[in-house]
């Protein structure tokens, strides 16, 4: 099977949708952004045996790859529109491609994000996805908007994806029910798109938790020229994590483990009650975990005393 046949068979038929003037098959895709909106663009590359095992389930790899990208759109409050896929494959394995495209296109359909182009090459297995969303520029949730006195919140719960990685490495042995939860959080992170959209009017800065809460909150601090005081006792540690590891490890996983793809948000103190009531009304779990202070960096408190975490988050180099 050649390159063009492959594209046609596994990717092309899904390239039509709203705003797609020209999809897969020409030199460029032509896309129509809604009037008054800015294009929000983000790309992520997943390399076999760095980001996922090369013998991993292709359907899960694809699902996770797209979900993780969509999370970046959620973090700026953008609505997903289109994506491109650059894939490098060691060989044409039709079973692999079939599962991969099924996983990919299922998530694409769920979040109404259309595959409009890409690139296919031969080489070591790697996957790059570029997502395109739209957002009104003045309403984009950026990292630089936090001010001293803002409150820090996080959506959902934390630590499950990092605990899943420990379970995959056989370093912890959760019950089978807890294991299922941890794995679903790792392989199928939920991009918090709906939550971001509803909460956006009350948010001063936002980031999605990919490298770990402390590391990612650190990015907000850096870009906002502020510091953060994080109360580790308040972290919404996932129940399955609490049951699977001892308390001190659970807190470390929630604070420094990555891959949860929850949103860390800052909110002006005066907006607090509006923010919390909108969250409550829509059944969005948000937890107050600290506040923005002056200075630099993220300081942590545990049982009221300063606490140094042993791990600060994932870094590639
Ligand atoms: P070019 O040589 O102009 O870069 P290609 O031969 O790489 O074009 O691709 C032909 C068409 O197929 C283009 O529209 C491109 O966007 C699309 N395409 C290539 N690979 C993929 C892929 N993996 N997924 C989706 N679309 C793809
Ligand atoms: Mg090309």
């Amino acid at each position: 099977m050649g390159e063009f046949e492959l594209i046609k068979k596994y990717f092309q038929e899904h390239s039509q949708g709203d705003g797609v003037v020209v999809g897969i098959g020409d030199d460029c895709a032509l896309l129509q952004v809604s009037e008054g909106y800015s294009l929000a663009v983000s790309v992520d590359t997943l390399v076999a045996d760095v980001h996922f095992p090369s013998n991993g389930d292709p359907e899960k790899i694809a699902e996770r790859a797209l979900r993780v990208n969509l999370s970046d759109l959620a973090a700026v409050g953008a609505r997903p529109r289109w994506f491109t896929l650059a894939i490098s494959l060691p060989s044409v394995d039709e079973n692999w491609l079939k599962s991969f495209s099924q996983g990919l296109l299922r998530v694409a359909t769920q979040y109404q994000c259309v595959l409009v182009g890409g690139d296919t090459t031969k080489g070591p297995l790697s996957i790059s996805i570029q997502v395109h969303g739209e957002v009104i520029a003045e309403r984009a949730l950026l990292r630089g908007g936090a001010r001293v006195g803002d409150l820090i919140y996080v959506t959902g719960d934390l630590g499950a994806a990092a605990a899943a990685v420990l379970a995959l490495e056989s370093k912890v042995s959760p019950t089978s029910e807890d294991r299922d939860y941890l794995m679903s959080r790792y392989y199928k992170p939920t991009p918090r798109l709906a939550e971001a959209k509803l909460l956006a009017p009350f948010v001063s800065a936002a980031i999605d938790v990919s490298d770990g809460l402390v590391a990612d909150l650190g990015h907000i601090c850096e870009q906002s020229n502020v510091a953060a005081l994080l109360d580790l006792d308040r972290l919404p540690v996932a129940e399955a994590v609490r049951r699977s590891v001892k308390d001190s490890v659970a807190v470390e996983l929630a604070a420094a483990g990555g891959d949860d793809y929850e949103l860390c948000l800052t909110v002006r103190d005066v907006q607090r009650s509006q923010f919390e009531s909108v969250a409550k009304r829509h059944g969005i779990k948000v937890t107050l975990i600290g506040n923005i202070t002056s200075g630099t960096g993220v300081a942590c408190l545990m049982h009221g005393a300063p606490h140094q975490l042993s791990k600060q988050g994932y870094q590639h180099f």
Side-chain angles (χ1 to χ4, degrees):
M1 166 174 278
E3 177 191 339
F4 299 107
E5 207 184 326
L6 180 163
I7 295 165
K8 202 164 182 168
K9 185 160 177 189
Y10 294 105
F11 300 115
Q12 187 149 13
E13 62 183 280
H14 300 270
S15 81
Q16 286 313 311
D18 242 17
V20 183
V21 184
V22 175
I24 293 174
D26 219 302
D27 294 311
C28 289
L30 296 185
L31 307 168
Q32 190 64 53
V33 184
S34 307
E35 209 179 326
Y37 284 74
S38 292
L39 191 60
V41 179
S42 177
V43 64
D44 261 307
T45 298
L46 300 182
V47 177
D49 296 323
V50 177
H51 302 98
F52 62 88
S54 46
N55 62 354
D57 179 347
E59 195 167 340
K60 287 183 177 160
I61 294 165
E63 273 213 46
R64 185 164 184 278
L66 183 52
R67 286 170 175 273
V68 163
N69 270 277
L70 292 169
S71 174
D72 281 318
L73 292 180
V76 298
R79 174 167 83 97
R81 300 293 317 260
W82 316 287
F83 72 106
T84 55
L85 165 70
I87 189 164
S88 158
L89 298 164
S91 62
V92 175
D93 174 343
E94 287 220 47
N95 286 328
W96 194 96
L97 275 165
K98 189 168 172 221
S99 308
F100 181 86
S101 76
Q102 271 171 4
L104 191 73
L105 298 168
R106 186 172 52 242
V107 178
T109 304
Q110 180 180 348
Y111 292 101
Q112 295 179 297
C113 196
V114 182
L115 178 60
V116 293
D119 195 32
T120 307
T121 52
K122 185 172 169 153
L125 180 58
S126 100
I127 299 150
S128 285
I129 289 179
Q130 180 160 33
V131 284
H132 304 75
E134 58 183 31
V135 63
I136 294 173
E138 309 80 74
R139 298 204 196 138
L141 308 176
L142 303 179
R143 296 178 180 185
R147 303 246 176 82
V148 175
D150 284 3
L151 304 168
I152 307 168
Y153 288 84
V154 69
T155 61
D157 57 31
L158 296 169
V165 174
L166 293 181
L168 288 168
E169 294 168 347
S170 306
K171 289 178 182 157
V172 298
S173 359
T175 64
S176 73
E177 201 176 307
D178 284 343
R179 190 186 167 87
D180 288 349
Y181 177 77
L182 300 179
M183 292 305 155
S184 79
R185 289 297 308 266
Y186 179 72
Y187 284 111
K188 294 181 165 200
T190 306
R192 298 295 183 192
L193 291 155
E195 291 84 350
K197 189 175 176 206
L198 289 161
L199 299 172
F202 316 104
V203 169
S204 55
I207 191 166
D208 62 329
V209 180
S210 56
D211 294 337
L213 177 66
V214 171
D216 290 317
L217 179 56
H219 297 313
I220 287 187
C221 290
E222 214 176 288
Q223 301 225 8
S224 301
N225 291 311
V226 294
L229 188 60
L230 194 60
D231 187 349
L232 298 179
D233 301 321
R234 288 176 180 249
L235 296 189
V237 181
E239 286 300 323
V241 176
R242 284 197 191 283
R243 286 191 292 265
S244 303
V245 299
K246 59 180 185 186
D247 289 352
S248 60
V249 177
V251 171
E252 289 273 337
L253 294 178
D259 294 330
D260 283 314
Y261 297 98
E262 294 295 348
L263 297 177
C264 177
L265 308 167
T266 63
V267 176
R268 302 264 188 265
D269 198 22
V270 291
Q271 305 258 51
R272 175 182 185 164
S273 62
Q274 273 180 294
F275 171 84
E276 288 185 359
S277 69
V278 167
K280 193 169 177 195
R281 190 170 346 124
H282 292 94
I284 301 169
K285 180 180 177 184
V286 292
T287 308
L288 178 62
I289 55 171
N291 50 282
I292 296 292
T293 58
S294 61
T296 56
V298 178
C300 298
L301 285 180
M302 193 189 257
H303 311 320
H307 181 87
Q308 191 69 44
L309 290 165
S310 58
K311 188 175 159 266
Q312 299 270 329
Y314 185 78
Q315 289 198 1
H316 286 273
F317 299 104

